[in-house]
Amino acid sequence: MRQRAMIAMALCCQPRLLIADEPTTALDVTTQAQILDLIADLKEEFNMGVMLITHDLGVVAEVAEDVAVMYMGKVVERGDVYSIFEAPKHPYTRALLESVPRIGMERKHRLPAIRGMVPHPLARPTSCSFRTRCDHAIAGVCDVRQPGLSPVGESEVACFLHSEALADE
Amino acid sequence: MSDAILRVSNLDMHFGATDGWFGKTPPTVRAVDDVSFEVLRGETFGIVGESGSGKTTLGRCIIRTHTPTGGTVEFRGKGAEPVDLTASGPEQLRTVWRSIRMIFQDPQSSLNPRLPVIELVGQVLRKTEGLRGKELADRVADLLFRVGLRPEILHRYPGAFSGGQRQRLGIARALATNPELVIADESVSALDVSIQAQTLNLLQDLQESLNLTYIFIAHDLAVVEHICDRVAVMYRGQIVELAETGEIFERPRHPYSRALLNAVPIPDPRLRKERRGRKSLTDGDVTVRGCRFASRCSHATDLCRSEAPPRKRIGQTDVLCHFAGEV
């Protein structure tokens, strides 16, 4: 109910863009479903854009058309929701998707977790900031240069594993 | 597997059941109402439900931080006589609290920021086993190692750690007394997905190596399905459905369990369309008589609104619904 009031406040100037930062993270699944439906309906009605910030991949799959995946302050992959979920390219995106338990998945196995944790912002690894946790980091490449966001298929990816990114540099 | 470590029978926790001021009787909140279940040794028993369903209160009644207003909680430690925790005195509870431990929800507030790690994790050992000095430091270092933390952190304070590390500290603290039963109340809910996966794996590893039994309280159904052997679904203080995990997730019998499962967002954009137009669960009034879920249930009839549903057994599932198996 409070979240509805917040949405009402956000909408009172008839915005063209609604930025929703973790709008359903603290809510129960049933309430979350209501709020997501509500945001989807309002989006149609007001013909506005919605920028949804969340860590819940289920919510993203449910409502988003385009997705940007961020790691340590940088967008590491950007694409439409189908490319991101069905053909993730950046090792971080892939690892994120694998580490979520899903309903109907084989039970009781160990989840493929991303090792380590997000480095302290003041101790950011040089060049590619994900390389310290990446299983595919290439010595002499990933620790030397910083990958830029470049088109790979339908998406844009910042990773040297995709040769287009290498050629681009 | 058939021996029960914990047997909860007809447990009630009604708040405000005493006389109010000036002879007024305040309304009673039946946070836990006639709840019965067994937890088997070595299993992970899940309790799910929305906030306000009474799952946390139930956990607190088991560990006796709330004194239940009715019913019994029978705990059978290994090689020990069964103890009814609801009738135990402080002395007996202190012993039991070494065998039943709790991991809390919020790693920020459940660790005293003014105590160093050695105290946070080791205090209980100092108090119950009288450990001191190097002996204590060694035991705590060993515990830290078990949960994947470096032993050098003994003299640091919780402020220096991330959420995932704090949750590991909470787990180390719970394990300090070699417990048999660990109650984990929303222990991974506040964590990021990647850290959540690490913590879940850790809990599973520890369960295997230490032969632990878990009561896993959570609202995240995907996590519950992943880690639990059996699941109880709570709604407004009652267990409305209890079955093995596979059974509940494949064939939910209670309309509430089904609604709950339907509401979970699935990380697959292709499944979006078929889920649009689902009936979202609206808020409803609590009916005084009859089924508590009736006002939100699309199958509710006059019978549901007037008469409390009986507990039925359908297949392998216990379910609290007049029309279980039909709807």
Side-chain angles (χ1 to χ4, degrees), chain B residues 260-293:
Chain B
L260 211 54
L261 275 170
N262 266 329
V264 182
I266 302 166
D268 182 349
R270 300 268 174 212
L271 296 175
R272 189 191 296 189
K273 247 191 220 115
E274 50 188 85
R275 291 161 50 77
R276 273 286 149 82
R278 77 199 139 191
K279 258 182 250 155
S280 49
L281 211 48
T282 48
D283 298 331
D285 302 322
V286 200
T287 40
V288 181
R289 296 170 303 157
C291 175
R292 295 181 179 197
F293 187 59

Side-chain angles (χ1 to χ4, degrees), chain A residues 40-100:
Chain A
D41 290 346
L42 292 170
K43 188 181 117 198
E44 303 276 300
E45 197 184 322
F46 286 80
N47 192 24
M48 63 182 178
V50 175
M51 176 174 155
L52 183 84
I53 302 168
T54 179
H55 72 268
D56 188 330
L57 294 163
V59 171
V60 174
E62 192 89 358
V63 299
E65 276 102 43
D66 293 294
V67 183
V69 182
M70 287 189 79
Y71 185 76
M72 293 211 78
K74 282 206 156 56
V75 173
V76 295
E77 182 163 358
R78 193 163 72 196
D80 67 87
V81 70
Y82 298 106
S83 315
I84 295 283
F85 279 84
E86 284 160 14
K89 302 206 169 49
H90 198 283
Y92 178 61
T93 315
R94 254 182 276 161
L96 262 190
L97 283 166
E98 279 170 8
S99 65
V100 200

Side-chain angles (χ1 to χ4, degrees), chain A residues 1 25 27-34 36-37 40 55-65 81-82 85-86 96-97 99-117 133, chain B residues 44 49-51 162 165 192-198 200-201 204-205 207-208 219 221-223 225-229 245-246 249 260-261 263-270 272 275-276 278 280-283 296:
Chain A
M1 197 57 79
T25 304
L27 304 177
D28 281 319
V29 280
T30 50
T31 320
Q32 169 171 281
Q34 289 174 30
L36 292 180
D37 285 352
H55 72 268
D56 188 330
L57 294 163
V59 171
V60 174
E62 192 89 358
V63 299
E65 276 102 43
V81 70
Y82 298 106
F85 279 84
E86 284 160 14
L96 262 190
L97 283 166
S99 65
V100 200
R102 300 173 186 214
I103 286 176
M105 200 173 66
E106 187 196 343
R107 295 181 40 230
K108 284 267 166 182
H109 68 94
R110 298 296 188 267
L111 291 165
I114 307 177
R115 63 191 152 84
M117 52 196 68
R133 302 173 74 193
Chain B
T44 303
E50 292 167 280
S51 40
S162 70
Q165 288 172 315
D192 254 347
V193 279
S194 60
I195 307 296
Q196 174 174 297
Q198 291 176 357
L200 286 173
N201 290 346
Q204 285 174 282
D205 291 342
Q207 179 168 44
E208 277 168 22
H219 71 269
L221 294 163
V223 170
E225 191 200 18
H226 177 73
I227 199 170
C228 295
D229 298 296
T245 308
F249 282 82
L260 211 54
L261 275 170
V264 182
I266 302 166
D268 182 349
R270 300 268 174 212
R272 189 191 296 189
R275 291 161 50 77
R276 273 286 149 82
R278 77 199 139 191
S280 49
L281 211 48
T282 48
D283 298 331
R296 295 169 84 184

Side-chain angles (χ1 to χ4, degrees), chain B residues 60-312:
Chain B
R60 293 193 173 162
C61 285
I62 292 170
I63 206 160
R64 263 297 297 280
T65 47
H66 287 320
T67 305
T69 46
T72 57
V73 176
E74 193 183 86
F75 174 70
R76 285 165 189 261
K78 226 184 183 85
E81 286 294 298
V83 190
D84 178 10
L85 301 182
T86 55
S88 302
E91 208 51 51
Q92 201 165 23
L93 278 178
R94 259 195 286 278
T95 323
V96 170
W97 278 337
R98 305 192 50 203
S99 308
I100 308 180
R101 301 282 285 172
M102 192 137 181
I103 305 171
F104 295 95
Q105 174 167 10
D106 182 0
Q108 310 292 332
S109 64
S110 58
L111 298 175
N112 185 342
R114 289 167 187 274
L115 290 183
V117 168
I118 185 167
E119 274 303 307
L120 283 171
V121 176
Q123 207 167 41
V124 61
L125 294 172
R126 187 196 295 278
K127 290 204 169 132
T128 59
E129 295 179 28
L131 292 188
R132 296 277 183 282
K134 184 163 174 356
E135 234 182 339
L136 181 68
D138 284 349
R139 272 285 283 281
V140 174
D142 180 52
L143 284 163
L144 293 176
F145 180 72
R146 272 188 187 286
V147 300
L149 292 171
R150 278 174 293 116
E152 298 95 88
I153 63 171
L154 275 181
H155 298 287
R156 295 172 71 179
Y157 290 82
F161 302 107
S162 70
Q165 288 172 315
R166 284 185 218 214
Q167 200 51 275
R168 283 170 193 260
L169 284 177
I171 296 172
R173 180 170 64 174
L175 296 179
T177 54
N178 287 324
E180 292 174 54
L181 175 65
V182 173
I183 303 176
D185 186 0
E186 299 277 9
S187 0
V188 298
S189 313
L191 305 175
D192 254 347
V193 279
S194 60
I195 307 296
Q196 174 174 297
Q198 291 176 357
T199 313
L200 286 173
N201 290 346
L202 172 67
L203 286 172
Q204 285 174 282
D205 291 342
L206 291 169
Q207 179 168 44
E208 277 168 22
S209 58
L210 303 173
N211 201 13
L212 296 170
T213 307
Y214 289 135
I215 295 180
F216 195 85
I217 303 172
H219 71 269
D220 186 331
L221 294 163
V223 170
V224 166
E225 191 200 18
H226 177 73
I227 199 170
C228 295
D229 298 296
R230 292 191 304 144
V231 177
V233 181
M234 279 193 86
Y235 183 74
R236 298 219 159 126
Q238 296 177 314
I239 291 181
V240 295
E241 183 161 358
L242 196 165
E244 289 191 1
T245 308
E247 198 58 31
I248 262 192
F249 282 82
E250 272 157 45
R251 280 177 291 278
R253 309 277 185 178
H254 197 282
Y256 177 64
S257 317
R258 223 169 297 151
L260 211 54
L261 275 170
N262 266 329
V264 182
I266 302 166
D268 182 349
R270 300 268 174 212
L271 296 175
R272 189 191 296 189
K273 247 191 220 115
E274 50 188 85
R275 291 161 50 77
R276 273 286 149 82
R278 77 199 139 191
K279 258 182 250 155
S280 49
L281 211 48
T282 48
D283 298 331
D285 302 322
V286 200
T287 40
V288 181
R289 296 170 303 157
C291 175
R292 295 181 179 197
F293 187 59
S295 58
R296 295 169 84 184
C297 180
S298 52
H299 304 286
T301 64
D302 286 339
L303 176 66
C304 302
R305 282 180 279 268
S306 58
E307 221 171 282
R311 192 164 294 281
K312 294 188 191 170

